[in-house]
Amino acid sequence: AKEHDILETLVRNANHIVTIDALCEAVWGDNPFGYENSLNAHVRRVREKIETDPSNPKSLITIKGLGYKLIMRK
């Protein structure tokens, strides 16, 4: 369920940076603080499902210090 919420949030904001705080709030609600490590683990699992090479992502990229960006090509 958490992976679905993360992916849904990223798809709604495709090709834009989604901050770590915004993702945590979308997944864990009103008190999203302290979930950064859990978020990282869930994002890793999402990558394993959508990327050809999860160690070298092309679609779900990390924007250091900010969050994540889902690249969707037309």
Side-chain angles (χ1 to χ4, degrees), residues 5-26:
D5 293 342
I6 290 167
L7 189 55
E8 182 180 340
T9 302
L10 290 167
V11 167
R12 274 190 275 122
N13 296 284
N15 300 315
H16 294 90
I17 297 170
V18 180
T19 65
I20 293 168
D21 289 344
L23 276 173
C24 285
E25 187 173 320

Side-chain angles (χ1 to χ4, degrees), residues 26-38:
V27 175
W28 286 282
D30 292 337
N31 190 11
F33 303 104
Y35 288 103
E36 291 87 1
N37 289 334
S38 293

Side-chain angles (χ1 to χ4, degrees), residues 48-68:
E48 289 171 357
K49 293 174 181 172
I50 68 169
E51 296 281 359
T52 305
D53 180 6
S55 298
N56 188 21
K58 302 290 185 207
S59 297
L60 178 50
I61 58 172
T62 302
I63 308 299
K64 297 242 187 238
L66 291 175
Y68 298 93

